Amino acid sequence: MSPTSGYHLVDGISMLHQQEQDYNPWFEEQYSATAEPWNYSRRGGELFRHAHTIELLRRFCPHPSSLLELGCSQGLMTAQLVPFTKELFASDVSPSAVKICKRKCDPLAAQHNCSMHYYVTTTPGLPFADDSFEVVTLCDGMIGWWFSEEQKQAALKDTYRVLRKGGYVMFTDYATPDVFDSYIQLIQNSELSVVSVSYLYDRPWYLLESVVKKLPGKALLSPIVASPKVAKLLHKAGGMVGTAAARHILIIARKE
Ligand SMILES: C[S@@+](CC[C@H](N)C(=O)[O-])C[C@H]1O[C@@H](n2cnc3c(N)ncnc32)[C@H](O)[C@@H]1O
């Protein structure tokens, strides 16, 4: 699969020429200033979210022949996608993040016979031909990227364009319950068909994390915060409360 013109390879990563880039610079600033801006690898709630997202996606598409991950960050979720995917395109607007993602995923991809491609790019403006991918993921995600309504609409059109007929898009986003319905509507009003809506009941986990941060013995308690098993238990407990305990919505949509 070859990208549209304007992209060139730098150390194995496809990117636009510098002067043509028009991405939100805030994200690159975070990645170049901090080793791991959101500390996801030490936060059980996020680790559980990744595992849960992939498990859900695999119910619809167990072994995607080609998957595009938008917003791959430093490759934490990408690494978990490698074993299930034949061809994986990891992309982010931050060149520093994609570099780390590549370092993390290349050795794994060699073990699992997965063909990896790395891009500094975003949607709208994806440099891929129509009908290229069986799965596209936008995980934390359109809300977190501070897109305007127009950008969201354009991103949905572009994502639909690069998706194969019968393919799936996985959306996840951090949000409060008052936003969930409008998010569902946004996807329903696009050309995609919504096939699954679910929630992560992760408010209890975020509460735990914020309480632990304030405690004097927080270092001793950090393994609890880092544990995806604890996060899973709290998600199960939160499920008894319902969407009031949810801070993530997960939507799977299909190109009919
Ligand atoms: C909060 S992190 C989420 C990372 C990962 N997808 C996850 O679910 O844990 C958001 C990532 O999206 C990237 N990003 C921000 N705006 C983007 C855009 N318009 N297109 C693609 N990625 C973007 C950021 O650089 C950052 O790595």
Side-chain angles (χ1 to χ4, degrees):
M1 199 180 301
S2 47
T4 50
S5 62
Y7 278 73
H8 63 301
L9 269 181
V10 180
D11 297 331
I13 298 172
S14 295
M15 48 177 86
L16 276 174
H17 289 287
Q18 203 64 34
Q19 62 271 27
E20 293 172 60
Q21 287 180 347
D22 184 24
Y23 302 138
N24 184 339
W26 186 83
F27 292 99
E28 174 58 19
E29 282 158 22
Q30 305 314 302
Y31 285 110
S32 38
T34 320
E36 194 188 5
W38 294 279
N39 287 326
Y40 281 176
S41 65
R42 292 188 292 279
R43 299 173 68 202
E46 308 299 343
L47 297 173
F48 171 62
R49 173 172 65 81
H50 290 160
H52 182 82
T53 301
I54 294 173
E55 194 188 313
L56 185 64
L57 172 65
R58 294 194 68 219
R59 282 187 214 155
F60 291 86
C61 193
H63 292 285
S65 57
S66 55
L67 187 150
L68 169 64
E69 185 190 18
L70 293 168
C72 63
S73 183
Q74 294 167 316
L76 210 55
M77 191 169 123
T78 324
Q80 291 195 50
L81 287 164
V82 164
F84 311 119
T85 316
K86 280 200 195 100
E87 194 168 30
L88 181 46
F89 288 69
S91 73
D92 200 285
V93 293
S94 160
S96 302
V98 179
K99 250 182 233 169
I100 293 175
C101 175
K102 183 172 185 332
R103 216 179 298 149
K104 194 174 286 159
C105 293
D106 274 351
L108 275 175
Q111 275 173 35
H112 290 279
N113 213 10
C114 170
S115 162
M116 290 296 306
H117 309 265
Y118 301 92
Y119 279 81
V120 176
T121 190
T122 188
T123 178
L126 289 173
F128 305 108
D130 298 359
D131 312 311
S132 291
F133 301 101
E134 195 174 6
V135 169
V136 179
T137 65
L138 290 91
C139 294
D140 287 38
M142 277 203 296
I143 294 179
W145 298 344
W146 303 321
F147 273 181
S148 64
E149 281 313 307
E150 292 72 33
Q151 281 174 310
K152 284 180 191 166
Q153 301 293 346
L156 285 168
K157 264 191 179 314
D158 198 28
T159 303
Y160 181 87
R161 179 186 68 73
V162 299
L163 195 65
R164 263 179 224 158
K165 199 167 181 298
Y168 294 93
V169 188
M170 175 93 226
F171 300 94
T172 72
D173 257 297
Y174 180 92
T176 46
D178 55 310
V179 176
F180 292 157
D181 282 349
S182 60
Y183 195 76
I184 298 167
Q185 279 278 303
L186 174 79
I187 314 296
Q188 276 174 342
N189 291 342
S190 76
E191 296 158 285
L192 293 159
S193 306
V194 171
V195 295
S196 159
V197 177
S198 59
Y199 301 93
L200 262 184
Y201 303 104
D202 48 1
R203 186 167 182 226
W205 183 84
Y206 286 111
L207 284 172
L208 168 81
E209 184 188 44
S210 64
V211 168
V212 167
K213 266 187 196 155
K214 290 177 194 139
L215 295 176
K218 60 184 172 197
L220 284 175
L221 295 171
S222 60
I224 294 173
V225 173
S227 164
K229 284 188 182 148
V230 170
K232 185 175 181 176
L233 282 175
L234 290 173
H235 158 73
K236 289 209 164 137
M240 291 189 257
V241 176
T243 49
R247 282 297 176 270
H248 272 91
I249 180 165
L250 298 89
I251 299 182
I252 299 186
R254 185 178 146 97
K255 181 169 178 173
E256 301 292 358

